[in-house]
Amino acid sequence: MEIYLDNSATTRLSEGALELMTKIFMEDYGNTSSLHKKGFDAEKHIRSAKDNFAKILKCSKNEIFFTSGGTESNNTAIIGTALHYGSRGHHMITTAVEHAAVSAPMKFLKSRGWDIDYLSVDETGRIDLSELEGLLRDDTVLVSIMHVNNEIGTVEPIEEAGKLIHEKCPNCLFHVDDIQGFGKISLNPKKLHIDLLSASSHKLHGPKGVGLLFIDERAHIAPIILGGGHQNGMRSGTENVPGVAGFSYAASEVYKDIDKNYERIEALRADFISKISDITDITVNGSAEHHSPYILSLTVKDVRAEVFLHALEDKEIYVSAGSACSSNHPSVSSTLKAINVPAYALDSTVRLSFSNNTSQEELDTVSDVLHSIIPMLRKFTRK
């Protein structure tokens, strides 16, 4: 039985989304910029998707912009803010545990003279709001904080951070990378003082190559892709109609039972942790209280993550060594370093990530496999 537990990297495409996309590829394939019926038929899918996401995020459809994925959404939010508000200030704040889609554009701006401050995190991966308050300045134009950590699943205090940012710096924008939270944990950007929010399609059973960026109507950022002026000039380029429609379809499916799904996965995760708790020297990373149940980070002492990953692969069980979605080349995890894990953990940690398709039977099988292979793998290490 194949068991796929790398859903934070990507998910299996929804069959309903595939069916809809196939229809659009073969029938409604027009260019949305065309003035004839084929263009109009394609544009209907974009308008429908905007209405759907506006309903999900409880915002105006004019505040929804489609991108090529989460990385472009994050880059647009950060670079676009810098381009628009650079004359007002050159200071941004982010955290030490962001995905590369946020940390890389921050480094890019720093190399061009911007002042970037990085919030530290505690041993569970949570930021300190008092540290955030102390870093906010009159020239701070953006604070970017992820919702759910992609490696250890820790959930950041987004609501409290948003309120603090807007109280102390009313003109500062608040960006949330919600790539690992969207479709799993309900979040209302208007209510939580969020100006910019990034989401990705393929993390919730939609197709790859599609994402969205919510931009509050009060926020103004400059586009970073120029051309034909698509999407009101914010993101030029012919719209990926099948991708956007598939993303919308998949989002509708997961949001229909989002709270019920969350509770089921939380129960599965807790049961799984209980069943492997008798294995010696195995540690769960992240927050016991503030976590997404969809991500489980495990450090298995004296077992290299890559060896562990391939041993599971031999059993048709697929997990990740940390965050695998940014590169094919393993590197030392900045998140694990930030939460000050023991040195051995940097090379002995794997990530199991669940989806709404994950079953009790699958996790019971994985538990049995862990009990059998971990002692065997340690025999090759402990000599």
Side-chain angles (χ1 to χ4, degrees), residues 93 132-138 140 143 164-165 168-169 172:
I93 300 170
L132 171 60
E133 183 174 12
L135 290 176
L136 287 168
R137 313 185 323 209
D138 291 340
T140 307
V143 176
L164 173 63
I165 292 163
K168 187 165 182 180
C169 294
C172 175

Side-chain angles (χ1 to χ4, degrees), residues 70 73-78 81 93-94 98 101-102 106 142-147 158 165-166 172-178 193-199 213-214:
S73 296
N74 284 335
N75 274 250
T76 301
I78 295 165
T81 298
I93 300 170
T94 188
E98 297 296 318
V102 167
M106 289 292 183
L142 180 77
V143 176
S144 180
I145 300 173
M146 65 189 348
H147 182 197
I158 295 302
I165 292 163
H166 282 181
C172 175
L173 299 187
F174 181 32
H175 168 242
V176 171
D177 173 353
D178 198 26
H193 313 279
I194 296 170
D195 301 295
L196 306 162
L197 181 140
S198 303
L213 177 62
F214 158 80

Side-chain angles (χ1 to χ4, degrees), residues 239-257:
E239 288 95 337
N240 176 3
V241 180
V244 168
F247 181 17
S248 177
Y249 188 98
S252 294
E253 286 187 318
V254 298
Y255 271 91
K256 185 169 58 180
D257 294 312

Side-chain angles (χ1 to χ4, degrees), residues 231-343:
Q231 300 196 62
N232 294 325
M234 178 52 65
R235 201 276 187 182
S236 289
T238 303
E239 288 95 337
N240 176 3
V241 180
V244 168
F247 181 17
S248 177
Y249 188 98
S252 294
E253 286 187 318
V254 298
Y255 271 91
K256 185 169 58 180
D257 294 312
I258 187 169
D259 294 333
K260 183 178 175 182
N261 291 331
Y262 180 97
E263 292 174 7
R264 189 182 76 84
I265 297 298
E266 177 75 289
L268 285 181
R269 181 182 186 273
D271 181 69
F272 179 73
I273 291 173
S274 172
K275 284 177 176 165
I276 64 170
S277 62
D278 59 337
I279 302 175
T280 58
D281 291 334
I282 189 165
T283 306
V284 176
N285 300 303
S287 172
E289 182 180 3
H290 305 286
H291 65 263
S292 165
Y294 290 87
I295 295 176
L296 177 60
S297 173
L298 296 176
T299 296
V300 184
K301 191 176 182 182
D302 294 331
V303 178
R304 288 187 58 221
E306 190 173 349
V307 173
F308 191 25
L309 183 152
H310 290 305
L312 291 174
E313 182 183 25
D314 287 342
K315 307 285 186 184
E316 293 191 284
I317 298 169
Y318 302 100
V319 303
S320 168
S323 171
C325 57
S326 60
S327 169
N328 291 326
H329 306 288
S331 58
V332 176
S333 162
S334 57
T335 295
L336 293 179
K337 288 173 67 178
I339 63 174
N340 291 316
V341 296

